[in-house]
Structure formats: C-alpha cells, structure tokens
Amino acid sequence: MTLRRYVVKRALLTIPILFGVSVLTFALVKLLPGSAVDYILQFQDATPALRARLAEQYHLDDPVWVQYLLWLRDALTLQFGESLISDRSVSAAVVGRLPETLALGALGLVVALAVGIPAGVVAAVRKGDLADEASRVVALLGIATPNFWLGMLLILVFGVYLNVARVIPPLAPVYAPESLRFLLLPAVTLGTASAALLMRLTRSSMLEQLNEGYVRAARARGLSERTVIVKHVLRNSLSAVVTVIALQIAFLVDGAVVVEQVFSWPGIGRLLVQAIHQRDFPVVQAVVLLIATAVVLANLLADVVYSVLDPRIRY
Amino acid sequence: MTREPTTERGRLRVRGFDADATTDVDWSPDRGGRTASRRARAWRRFSGNRTAVAGLVVVVALLVLAVFARPIEVAGVTVQPFALAPYAPATTDVAPASQPPSLAHPFGTDWAGRDVLSRVLYGGRYSLAIGVVAVALGVGVGVPLGAVAGYVGGWVDEAIMRLVDVLYAFPFLVLAIALVAVFGQGFWKLVLALVVVGWISYARLVRGEILRVKEEEYVLASRALGVPDRSILARHVVPNAIAPVVVQATLDVGTVVLSAAALGFLGLGLPPGTAEWGSMLSASRDTLMQGQWWVTVFPGLAIFLFVLSINLVGDGVRDAIDPQGDSRREAR
Amino acid sequence: MALLEVTDLDVRFYTEEGVVRAVDGLSYEIERGERLGVVGESGAGKTVAGLAVLGLIDAPGRIEGGEVRFKGEDLLSASDERLREVRGGEIGMVFQDPEEALDPVYTVGEQVAETIRAQTDLAESAIRERAVETLDRVGVPDPRERYGDYPHQFSGGMQQRVVLATALACDPDLLVADEPTTALDVTIEAGILELLDDLADEYDLAVQFVSHDLGVVAETCDRVVVMYAGRAVERAPVEDLYYDPKHPYTAGLMASVPRLGADRDRLPTLPGSMPDLVDVPPGCRFHPRCPFAEEACTKREPPLVDASETAADARADSHQAACLAYTGDLSGDLDFEVEVRE
C-alpha cells in the first residue's frame, strides 16, 4: 500500500468516530434533567408565551433526531448560536480564546519534548546508573504532582516570595513578549507530567529496542555507540514515542483546562469551566466538540507520521 | 549385548551407543523452593521491592488516618469511636482565621478559621473512597464488556469498540467535566462520571488479551478437541488477562484520585466547602497572594503523597507479576 | 601464529537465578583461511563464544577470563575504538536470524554502506558504489535497484545475503557465522552455504562456523570443536571426528541425527537435556546422560586430552577429547564405533 492510500484509508476511519463524537456531545445536553427551556432562561421566570417561543426557536418540540441534524448542520458551519449569558456568538467566544490555549499547549508540549525525550534516552543508555535512578525518581514525582498544586507552588515561590514573575496575565496579545514571558510558568506546570510520562516511555521504548538483534548486529559492524544509539535505537523508538505524543495531546488539553484556571489564563479551558458554572450549554457543547475533534485529528496525524517513520506499516 | 542400537547418517552408522543405558537422566540440581506458586513468587518479588513496600505502607497509613480521623456512625451507632483529628472538618472558627501553623494547629487554619490538619486527615476519606470505588466499578463494567467484545466478536465487538473509540476521542478530564456538568454535584454523581470515562481502558485491555490468547495454538487445539468455550475462557484467557488488569487498576487509582482532585479544584466535584483535598486547594487559590502557603501546601502534599505511593505500589505489582514488562502501562 | 587464538575463555552471565557459566575454559585456534565448526546443542555456549571474539557480550554477561588473540593482538584488552575497527573491518559477523539482524527502518543499501562508512574515509558516492558491489558479490540480484529497498521487502534467504554483505563489505579476515542458516528453509540453506564456501575460497576468509547441525558442519568446515555445557568436549579435524568420534557426547549427537528412510521403528535420541548452566553436574558434565558413565565420572572432571590411538598421531591438530576413558580412569570401554556403509 502506498503512503497516500494508507493516509486516505486512515482518514476515512475517523469519520465514524467524529460522527459518534458529535452524537455524544449533542446527547450530553439532552441528558440534562428538567426542561431545556429552563436552561435557556437560566431558570428565570417567564410567561408561557415566551417559553413557547423559545421552544420553537430552539426546535425543542421536534423529534430528537431532527434536533440533532439541525444542530449538526449548524455545527458543521461552526454556528453554535449565541451564548446564553453574553450576547456574543458562541463561535466568536471560542475562536477568541483559541490562540491563548494553542500558545499554552504548544509551549507545554515543547517543555515535555525538550525534557522528556533526551532524559529518556540518557536513562536508557545509562540503565541502572545514578542518572537512571535519579530520572526515575524525578519522573515518579512529576507524574504524582497535581498540576494545579504545582502551578500554585510556582506562583507562591516565583510570584509571591521571589517576586520575579507576574501572577496575573498581562493585557497584551498572546504573541507579545510579556505574554510569552508570563506563559513560562504555566508551560512548565503543564509540561511537567507529560515530560515525566514521555521520559519513562522513551526509556522503556529504547530499552526494548536495545534488546533487538539489529543493535548487536550494528555493533558487530563496528558502528560507534553514538551511531548505534541515535541512528538506530532512537530512530526505532520514535515510532512508539510519536503515538504517545498524540495521546499526550489529550493529556495536555486536560492539563490546560486546569492550568488556565490556576494562572487565570483566558483560554478555552477557562471558558469551558466558566460556561459550566454558568450553565451556558451552547458554549460547553462547542468547546467539547472542538476539543474532541482536535484530539481525533491529532491521532490521525500521529498515525500518518508513524507510517512515515516505519516503512513496514505501509506495505 | 543383545540389542545393538545403530543409526546412520549418509554412509555413517554409529554402533554401540545405547541411549537407554544412561543411568541418571533425570539428574537435576537441588534448588529448594523453586516450585513455589506464581502468586508466592510474585509476592516474594513485591516484598523484596523496597520502594513498592514503602508506597504500600504510606497508602495504608493514609487509609488508617482517614478512617480514624473522626468517629464513624452508622444508623446512630458509633462503629468507629476514635478521633485522630482534633476538630470536625466543617467546624469554623476553632481559632482565628488564616493563622500560620502553630503547636495548636500544626497545619494552620483557613479563611473560615477551620483547622487545616483536621480537614486534610478527614479529606482522605473522599479521595480514597472515590479512587477505590470508581476504579472498582470501572473494572466491573470494562472487563465484562471487553471480554464479551473479544470473545463473541462480530457486531457485538463492533458496537462496543466503536463506543470505546468515541469515548477515547474525549480527553479524560474534559469528558468528566462535561458529565459532572450534566449530572450535577455529589459523591455518587462524581463517581458515575469517572466510571463512564474510566471503564474503556479495561475493555480495551481485556479484549486485546482475549484476541491474543484466542490465536494461541493451545487454545485453537482445545477448541478443535471440543473443549467448551467456557472452560477455555476460565483456564486460559482469564488467568492471562488478570495480571495486566490488576496493574492497570492499581495505577488508575492514582489517576482517578488526581482527576477527582482536579474536578474539586475546578469547583465541579463535591459541593464547595467540602473537606476534599482538591476543593480545599480551590479555596486556597485566592489567599495564595497573601502568602498563606499552608492552606495550599498541606492538602496538595496529601494528594501528591497518596498518588506517588499508589503509583509505587502499582509499579511494584507490575514488576512482581510481569517481570519482563510485557504488559506496558497505558500511556494515558 | 594462528589468525585467532582463544585460550581459556570464561564467560559468565549474572542472572536472577544465579551465575550462568556460559563458556568455561574454552580454547581453540583458527588458522588463516581455515574453517572451524563449533557444534553443540542450544545453550552449549557456542553462540556466546562467537560473540566473545568480537567483545559483544552484553550485560548481565561478562568475560571473566582467558585471552582472545587476533593476529597476535589481545582483543580483550583492546580499546573500544580499536574494537570498533576490528568489528566489521577485520572480523565480520553473521547472525542466526537475518530479519532481526537488519534494522527495519533503514534500506538494505544504507546498512551495508554504514559499515563501509564506519571503517573507511571514502566519499559518499564511493561508499555507495562499494555497497552495491558487495550486494552483487553476495548474490543479491539487481543490487543497484534493490539498494533502496527495506529489509521486509526481501525473503529470508535474501536478507541473510544482505547481512553477509554487511559483514564482508570491508574484506574481513575472519567471519563469525552464528547458525547462519538455522532460520532458513533447507533449499535456501544450501544456497547460502555454497555462497559462504565460494566467498571463503575466493577471499581466503577464515570462518568460525557455529551450528547445531553436524551435517552442515561436515560439509562446510575443516576442523570441529564440540561443545557441551560451556566446555569443549572434543576437538578434531572434521574427517577424524565423523569417522572416529572419541567422546560419547559426539557419538550421541551423531546417533541422534535423523535420516530419511531409516529402517528403525523409532529415532534414537540423546536422552535428557543439557544441564542448566547455573548448577552443572559434578565431575563430567555429561555423565547424567552418558551410557558409559561410571562412579568416577561423577567425581572427576575430565581434562581435554589427546585421544589418538597412536602416539604418532599426536600432532598439533591431534584428536582431543574430554573423557575419563582417555585418562585411564574408566574401567569399562567406550564400545561405540562408526561403520562406513559401502
């Protein structure tokens, strides 16, 4: 199978999953107890006439599947109606917050990759050494530290005691230097657990590859240890690591929701939590659908990269 | 010699090498205790793992502290009379508000004048109960569904696995947040949300294990010989699948406790003001700027300590029952 | 001076179960252009002996003693850098499973080329040219086109030819071939053996041929070392060994080789299995499986001594065996013999 055919086939497989995702997201709101009109009205009193009008406006009297199709049609054109709280359109609210979350997520991923992969390589090569043991301990601590707690401790140390970091985000665009500087602590907070997981995975994947016959064969051909490790072992380990990076996207999104809350960073995670507290369900639906779609596409991308990295998959 | 064994290869024939004349074929070194059962060996390996045992000690200690923090009454009868925590977790104004740690209040007091030590000790009940109950229910749902999917196959497998795929598209916490938003707050609603999100990893694990074992030659052979499916499942599939499920479940207790605490921190888990570790941190977010470190440090430390210990136990269990590391930890 | 001289080699693996003495006091030498077969059941230590020559014993294994002299140079005390020059340069190695020996994510051409790159300062184009030549030499058809193919696009036999190319790309003097045909079909096996034969003749290549198959060794090698439980139990020129085995184990191995159309109701097998190398039997390691074993065999470990019938035969390449029958400690006789059918 050629690479292109593989990609097309794999992409087609995501369609039923995206369909399921949309059904589930839609159903979420339908599962709310009580009348949907009450949620639209934010539980304020209203005349029966107003209630009837709202029910009609939101197609609440139609069969559920019609409601779903109408909602899906709107969703496909990125129209999620208006927020129940503010008068802004839901799409505008979400899109407005997107750059913040993307910046945070990207920086968090950079931290995770820049720390996790090299540390994992060193730990595998130095298996059993002090360096390996130390990285094992650090990874265990990193995985067990709640990110919200870590973020608060960082604020406490750098923001309150040392007074070298802002504790409130600057009123500047994401790409402004002060914003990026502010994002340093959130990115570290977000990336720590991922870095720890990636490190452990890189290590175990490397160790697995180190036991493969081609490693001994490569050594028997007189290649330097550096070439054996970087060119052969790391390269073969990367396939597994790439798969996990895709899973890390979901993990990072989870982290971002919490970290945004800790650092008052106005991204879509904070929007989601806010919307839930305010029972603003159109926003909740839009954010959840967006996140799930992004995760599905990230997994698709990972599979494509995987097939590029491993020639055995394609044929 | 009456019988002369011979053999030949090509033109060569060995004469006089009587294989049956060996005296001591079954010579085997005396090893003592090598025949110990799988479980006994696993336990030996686990108990020899110092960090895992340390983790277990901490987990048990936190459990004991949580249980004996305050008396427990069932239907008006006190079944557990001890009170290690000096104050009830919800009692306000036991001392001036926002006091740093002192002899009387080793962990200080919070904004409402509640004793932080008492709340941290008591809070273990929520985290531990949520972790254990949600994981147990997740196993209870995921294992049978995964087993059915793997063993029955066909459209049943398709239906279950497509559902798993769809649920996997949602990040764990995001889906839990959305479900809590729908279900509302409360212990059982929180547990329900975590179970809905959590069962899928067991279903995948068990299904994969069953598909693998089904292809093993001895299983194919048993089938061909007409051994009923039920006994194949019981004899070959279940024993193979138990180990990875136990490992996954142990490690998941940590993940679930972290997620529950994160939900608490976001104000979405238990009702605000509950002495749950995550909720306590949520309240401390606002007082952090005034340098009131104790309301942040101690509840967080409790979560950290518990998750770290349970992960150590989980790693120990994995190393003990799977020394080659065959069943790798799910990356999620 | 022999090309390779191995003296009292001692390799141990430190495992959870205990110390495995994989190779225990093994000595042999290989002359230039000579082919030495190392034979034994799996676990006898023959593969480990091959890896030890190249210093490729990984943890938890360690070479604990002995000497490996290659062209007079002690490889065990050589620097890592020097060892890398020897590996792939002067000594090549071929492995049992070619699929495992090739890295799945690089093209076969690249894997041959990187050996050349590691050993020479040639320009990239010259390296490529030489890699193509080597592939051609080992019988890969259309080497220029197949240079860019991945290992999984080759059959097992072709993969083994590629591995052979990686080993021979820099014209080594010695080839360590570890069961090079075990993983292959019988028909493919013949082709590879023939190729090995031709290449060895053509380039005056010495070969340490590790195998469990006495038949293959008989066709390929000049001299044979039979290993049992980490030790050499018999050493002889190939003809002598086959027509006149001196050690009961060798006889047993030969007796257990299956033959088509054998007029017997069951195959004779060597009873029992090789001992666990953590706890070897006392005395002669073979005694629990030996039909001729006596009380003395459980007490004394037989040294490898000259076993030729006449003193005149006792030359350097004499026939040696490690059995108490040749030290005069055995009261009975080893009454096996090989008949040659006309």
Side-chain angles (χ1 to χ4, degrees), chain B residues 6-7 11 13 15 22 31, chain C residues 255 279 289 337 339 341:
Chain B
T6 59
T7 186
R11 290 155 47 237
R13 170 196 291 253
R15 190 179 283 278
T22 52
R31 280 287 172 74
Chain C
D279 268 299
R289 302 170 73 188
E337 56 180 341
E339 278 182 359
R341 285 210 309 181

Side-chain angles (χ1 to χ4, degrees), chain A:
Chain A
M1 204 188 315
T2 64
L3 184 57
R4 175 191 265 169
R5 269 194 59 199
Y6 175 81
V7 171
V8 170
K9 204 179 120 197
R10 180 62 185 78
L12 288 177
L13 281 176
T14 62
I15 291 175
I17 294 179
L18 287 173
F19 171 72
V21 164
S22 71
V23 170
L24 201 67
T25 310
F26 175 77
L28 221 48
V29 170
K30 289 290 140 196
L31 285 173
L32 285 170
S35 157
V37 177
D38 284 333
Y39 289 93
I40 297 165
L41 283 166
Q42 295 286 303
F43 293 92
Q44 288 161 5
D45 286 331
T47 60
L50 177 60
R51 295 183 70 98
R53 217 186 55 204
L54 281 172
E56 201 195 320
Q57 186 190 335
Y58 286 87
H59 307 285
L60 294 176
D61 297 329
D62 290 335
V64 173
W65 64 270
V66 174
Q67 292 183 41
Y68 166 72
L69 288 178
L70 289 170
W71 175 81
L72 184 64
R73 186 195 64 196
D74 290 346
L76 286 174
T77 51
L78 299 180
Q79 299 190 348
F80 293 91
E82 282 175 6
S83 158
L84 299 178
I85 303 299
S86 69
D87 291 340
R88 288 182 75 189
S89 90
V90 172
S91 308
V94 172
V95 170
R97 300 286 193 102
L98 211 48
E100 274 76 8
T101 295
L102 288 176
L104 174 61
L107 285 175
L109 186 59
V110 167
V111 170
L113 293 177
V115 175
I117 292 183
V121 171
V122 170
V125 174
R126 296 271 159 85
K127 188 186 174 217
D129 276 12
L130 194 64
D132 182 28
E133 285 303 313
S135 70
R136 178 179 128 92
V137 172
V138 171
L140 275 168
L141 300 183
I143 291 169
T145 309
N147 48 11
F148 42 93
W149 188 53
L150 177 63
M152 288 163 80
L153 292 183
L154 289 176
I155 290 177
L156 195 62
V157 172
F158 294 100
V160 178
Y161 291 143
L162 299 179
N163 205 11
V164 291
R166 295 182 65 119
V167 292
I168 299 163
L171 284 169
V174 176
Y175 47 83
E178 61 259 48
S179 293
L180 293 176
R181 199 162 60 234
F182 173 81
L183 270 177
L184 198 64
L185 289 187
V188 168
T189 308
L190 180 59
T192 298
S194 287
L197 283 170
L198 262 180
M199 195 224 103
R200 295 311 286 171
L201 185 96
T202 306
R203 177 182 179 274
S204 68
S205 178
M206 291 270 297
L207 287 180
E208 207 174 290
Q209 292 295 330
L210 278 168
N211 278 327
E212 293 286 325
Y214 69 80
V215 177
R216 177 171 280 169
R219 286 186 183 139
R221 280 185 258 142
L223 305 188
S224 71
E225 198 54 26
R226 194 191 162 82
T227 310
V228 173
I229 296 297
V230 176
K231 181 174 171 182
H232 292 281
V233 179
L234 183 58
R235 174 68 174 70
N236 273 282
S237 308
L238 277 185
S239 320
V241 173
V242 164
T243 316
V244 170
I245 292 174
L247 292 175
Q248 291 293 301
I249 302 292
F251 189 74
L252 283 170
V253 170
D254 276 348
V257 171
V258 175
V259 171
E260 286 175 7
Q261 202 69 18
V262 175
F263 289 91
S264 309
W265 184 248
I268 58 165
R270 202 165 156 77
L271 180 69
L272 174 68
V273 174
Q274 218 171 1
I276 285 174
H277 280 301
Q278 296 170 333
R279 297 171 172 274
D280 194 350
F281 283 98
V283 175
V284 174
Q285 272 184 321
V287 172
V288 169
L289 188 64
L290 173 76
I291 287 175
T293 308
V295 169
V296 171
L297 295 180
N299 282 325
L300 170 64
L301 184 68
D303 272 7
V304 171
V305 174
Y306 187 91
S307 72
V308 172
L309 285 178
D310 192 338
R312 281 167 300 182
I313 303 294
R314 271 176 271 153
Y315 298 92

Side-chain angles (χ1 to χ4, degrees), chain B residues 1 3-27 29-31 34 44-45 323, chain C residues 17 215 242-243 248 252 255 257 259 264 266 269-272 276 278-282 288-292 335-341:
Chain B
M1 205 178 273
R3 194 172 64 91
E4 252 194 336
T6 59
T7 186
E8 45 192 67
R9 177 176 171 102
R11 290 155 47 237
L12 301 185
R13 170 196 291 253
V14 176
R15 190 179 283 278
F17 185 88
D18 185 359
D20 298 333
T22 52
T23 47
D24 193 14
V25 173
D26 293 325
W27 184 89
D30 177 29
R31 280 287 172 74
R34 281 211 80 188
R44 208 189 55 213
R45 264 192 299 251
Chain C
E17 268 79 45
Y242 282 81
Y243 290 109
V257 172
R259 192 186 69 87
R264 293 173 46 93
R266 76 186 173 86
T269 50
L270 208 51
D276 187 332
V278 177
D279 268 299
V280 287
R289 302 170 73 188
C290 182
F292 310 100
D335 54 0
F336 56 79
E337 56 180 341
V338 172
E339 278 182 359
V340 183
R341 285 210 309 181

Side-chain angles (χ1 to χ4, degrees), chain B residues 37-48 316-317 319-322:
Chain B
S37 74
R38 214 155 115 169
R39 203 178 305 164
R41 258 181 299 153
W43 171 247
R44 208 189 55 213
R45 264 192 299 251
F46 183 87
S47 54
V317 170
D319 293 346
I321 57 186
D322 181 21

